[in-house]
Amino acid sequence: MTRSTPTTFTHAITRTPAPSAVHGIRADGGPDPDFPALAAEHDAYVATLRALGLDVTVLPPLNDFPDALFVEDVALTFPEGAILLRPGAATRAGEVAFIGDALAAHHDRRFAMTGPGHVDGGDVLRLADRVIIGLSARTDRTGAEELAALLADLGYKAEIADTPPGVLHFKTGCSLIDAGTILTVPALADCPQFAGLEIVVTPSGEEDAANLLRINETILVGDRWTATHALLAARGHVVRPLPTTQIARIDAGLSCMSLRW
Ligand code: CIR
C-alpha cells in the first residue's frame, strides 16, 4: 500500500508528572491513578520518543499544577515557530508561564494568545495542508479565531470545527494516521472539516484508541486497544503499543504528553 507521510518530527518537549498528578481533572469522577504506575507510563512514553529518534526535552514536575504533564494543552509547536495558548480550565492557566523558556530554547518566532478567549492544544489537529481547531468545553470561538489569526502569521491555514458533546478535546476523538487518513470515533466521522480525507472509524469498544500518536513511521497506540492495533497493522502501519491505563484515569491519552515539531 502506498501511503504519504505527513510532517516529520525531530523534537519533543515533555514534563515529568508531579505526585499531584493523581488529582488531575477528570470529567466523570473515577479513581485516582496510581502514581508510580503513572510515572512508569510517562517514562515509557519518553523512552519511546527517544527510541524513535526524537530529541526530547524533559521539563521538571510542577506540583502546583496536577495536569502540567499534559504539555500539549499549553502551546503549539511547528518548525516555523511556537504559539503560547490560553487553556480553558482555570486550574491549568498558570501552566503556560512554565513552558516559555523551553520554547524560547528552540523557536525564534514565538507568538502568544492574549485573550479573552481560550484554546487547549488538545483541540488542535494539524493536517498536511491545514490545521483544524475544535470547539469544546475548553476551546471557545473567540479563542479559536484569535488562534487562527496567529496561525496565519506562521503560514498555516486554520478551520474551526465542532467537538461532539462529552468528548473532552477534539483530538480525544481523532488522530491523523497518515497525510490523508484520520482515525476517528463514530461521533466525529461526519465532521465536515474531514472532507477529502479518508475516514477510518475506531473498532467498537475501542473509542479511546482514537487519541493515538503518530511519530514519523510509527504509530503509538494504547496497549489495551488490540483491535485497533490489528486494523492499523493491516493498513501497513508500524504500531507501538504503550501503557495508558493510569493517564486515562485523568482523561488523557498519548498526544497530550508532548509537544512535537
Ligand atoms: C485535563 O482535563 O485537562 C487533563 N486531566 C487531561 C488533559 C488531556 N490533554 C489532552 O487531551 N490534550
Side-chain angles (χ1 to χ4, degrees):
M1 176 182 305
T2 305
R3 288 183 285 111
S4 51
T5 304
T7 318
T8 298
F9 297 117
T10 55
H11 290 76
I13 296 173
T14 67
R15 183 180 295 285
T16 301
S20 64
V22 300
H23 305 303
I25 306 170
R26 70 216 73 173
D28 297 326
D32 287 354
D34 172 74
F35 182 69
L38 180 134
E41 289 181 359
H42 195 269
D43 286 348
Y45 181 80
V46 171
T48 299
L49 297 186
R50 287 189 166 136
L52 295 173
L54 269 56
D55 176 341
V56 183
T57 300
V58 181
L59 299 175
L62 293 177
N63 208 44
D64 288 345
F65 298 99
D67 289 297
L69 71 154
F70 304 123
V71 287
E72 178 178 67
D73 294 319
V74 299
L76 296 179
T77 48
F78 301 90
E80 298 84 0
I83 302 175
L84 288 173
L85 302 176
R86 283 175 38 85
T91 57
R92 302 202 56 192
E95 295 172 23
V96 178
F98 293 91
I99 201 83
D101 288 351
L103 299 184
H106 292 282
H107 297 282
D108 292 336
R109 295 187 73 202
R110 297 185 302 285
F111 300 86
M113 288 181 63
T114 55
H118 295 93
V119 174
D120 273 17
D123 284 314
V124 182
L125 177 69
R126 184 174 174 185
L127 303 178
D129 61 342
R130 63 203 151 94
V131 174
I132 299 178
I133 307 169
L135 301 176
S136 72
R138 302 286 179 87
T139 294
D140 54 33
R141 187 167 290 278
T142 304
E145 288 175 351
E146 183 185 3
L147 178 59
L150 294 174
L151 285 164
D153 289 341
L154 270 183
Y156 289 92
K157 176 171 177 266
E159 296 177 358
I160 297 174
D162 290 317
T163 303
V167 176
L168 172 61
H169 287 130
F170 192 72
K171 284 190 298 189
T172 308
C174 67
S175 302
L176 196 66
I177 56 175
D178 65 48
T181 312
I182 297 271
L183 180 76
T184 176
V185 296
L188 258 175
D190 295 327
C191 176
Q193 287 72 26
F194 291 165
L197 295 165
E198 183 181 359
I199 302 300
V200 178
V201 175
T202 47
S204 176
E206 297 204 359
E207 290 75 14
D208 286 355
N211 183 266
L212 50 72
L213 179 59
R214 180 195 55 77
I215 298 292
N216 305 334
E217 295 297 330
T218 302
I219 300 184
L220 315 184
V221 189
D223 58 4
R224 288 165 289 162
W225 315 125
T226 52
T228 305
H229 303 164
L231 181 159
L232 294 171
R235 295 178 62 89
H237 293 286
V238 177
V239 176
R240 183 81 63 102
L242 280 178
T244 56
T245 306
Q246 303 302 319
I247 60 163
R249 289 186 176 184
I250 43 176
D251 294 352
L254 290 166
S255 77
C256 320
M257 294 188 286
S258 60
L259 290 167
R260 307 155 293 273
W261 68 97

